[in-house]
């Protein structure tokens, strides 16, 4: 059984046990029919202590929910997984600092992120103040390049480092060329018009002679490419951006058991996901892949997070 099917089975058992989801039943609708792994009351998909906080956060900051106007009841939602992990610690600078130093022990403090209505030390569904990627809009959670989460950290060198986070759960991707999508390749050509010159101008991304059909236009690399460009452009325009950083470090959260994503030999490269993506980067130190449980290891000794760790273990790890 592959990882995604294992997680389907896991969530269905948790629903039947009536503990993690507070006795909320499955059978909610997703797509065209009821599904046993979709909760009939979507809010129960969120860790109970953060439910009201998350709803207020999305409302206050005008953030779009994935797939609708409310939290998804789909128990394999990576957006929900990201929220369940990060929202409980977003106001605790020592916890957030412990997470980033658990990966790279180089930071002296984390900074409140002023683009939110009520600044905390983690921000969700972050976009730039202005469109720098030729996407014509900058809307949190919809229709433009965003990052699932963001941390701002002060490096021991004195630099302010922006830490964009891309969060994956059970995702895997079929071969699909986004540079040639649509009738007469209209969507694909538009994407190339948006990003090809930015890739050429990028310090981090390796330039290519031909971009059509390349790694940059296949998932999951298409997302990583846009987020890399986004980070570079936010830094380049920091005088006019709400987010003001000297450099960035891109963190990719992927469960190590998700072999369909990590270990697949991608047709475009013949290599695994990490090997493929690292071959397109000039500075390897700006990119890290981390398992979500490993990310939270620094909080295992914190008594105030015992309940959260137990929930995450039961739900995801």
């Amino acid at each position: 059984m592959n990882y995604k099917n294992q997680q389907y089975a896991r969530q269905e058992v948790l629903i039947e046990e009536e503990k993690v989801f507070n006795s909320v039943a499955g059978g909610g609708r997703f797509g065209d029919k009821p599904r046993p792994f979709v909760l009939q009351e979507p809010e129960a998909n969120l860790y109970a202590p953060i439910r009201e906080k998350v709803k207020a956060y999305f409302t206050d900051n005008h953030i779009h929910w994935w797939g609708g106007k409310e939290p998804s009841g789909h128990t394999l939602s990576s957006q929900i997984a990201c929220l369940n992990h990060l929202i409980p610690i977003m106001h605790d600078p020592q916890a957030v600092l412990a997470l980033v130093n658990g990966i790279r022990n180089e930071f002296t403090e984390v900074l409140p992120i002023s683009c939110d209505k009520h600044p905390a030390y983690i921000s969700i569904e972050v976009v730039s103040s202005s469109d720098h990627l030729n996407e014509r809009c900058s809307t949190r959670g919809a229709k433009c390049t965003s990052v699932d989460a963001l941390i701002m950290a002060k490096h021991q060198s004195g630099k302010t480092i922006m830490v964009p986070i891309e969060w994956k759960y059970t995702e895997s991707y079929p071969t699909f060329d986004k540079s040639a999508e649509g009738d007469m390749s209209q969507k694909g050509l538009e994407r190339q018009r948006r990003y090809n010159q930015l890739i050429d101008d990028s310090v981090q991304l390796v330039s290519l002679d031909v971009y059509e059909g390349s790694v940059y236009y296949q998932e999951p690399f298409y997302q990583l490419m846009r987020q890399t460009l986004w980070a570079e452009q936010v830094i380049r325009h920091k005088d006019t951006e709400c987010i003001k950083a000297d450099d960035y470090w891109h963190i990719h959260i992927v469960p190590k058991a998700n072999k369909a994503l990590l270990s697949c030999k991608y047709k475009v490269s013949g290599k695994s996901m990490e090997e493929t993506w690292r071959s397109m980067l000039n500075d390897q130190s700006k990119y890290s892949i981390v398992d979500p449980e490993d990310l939270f290891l620094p909080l295992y000794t914190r008594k105030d997070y015992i309940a959260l760790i137990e929930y995450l273990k039961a739900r995801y790890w």
Side-chain angles (χ1 to χ4, degrees), residues 54-65:
V54 171
K55 289 190 296 180
Y57 179 83
F58 271 58
T59 298
D60 288 346
N61 294 291
H62 308 289
I63 301 172
H64 293 254
W65 287 99

Side-chain angles (χ1 to χ4, degrees), residues 184-241:
M184 300 297 291
S185 302
Q186 291 161 336
K187 290 183 180 179
L189 288 173
E190 176 58 28
R191 290 185 178 116
Q192 291 191 70
R193 281 192 287 269
R194 289 175 180 172
Y195 306 123
N196 285 1
Q197 187 59 53
L198 289 168
I199 298 171
D200 271 341
D201 295 340
S202 171
V203 174
Q204 173 70 330
L205 300 178
V206 173
S207 296
L208 302 175
D209 293 331
V210 177
Y211 288 109
E212 185 171 348
S214 72
V215 166
Y216 293 126
Y217 290 100
Q218 324 292 320
E219 293 289 16
F221 315 108
Y222 178 65
Q223 294 175 2
L224 297 174
M225 172 269 285
R226 289 185 294 121
Q227 290 174 355
T228 301
L229 294 177
W230 178 89
E232 288 188 323
Q233 291 299 317
V234 167
I235 291 167
R236 188 170 297 175
H237 295 89
K238 68 179 182 179
D239 289 346
T240 58
E241 281 289 328

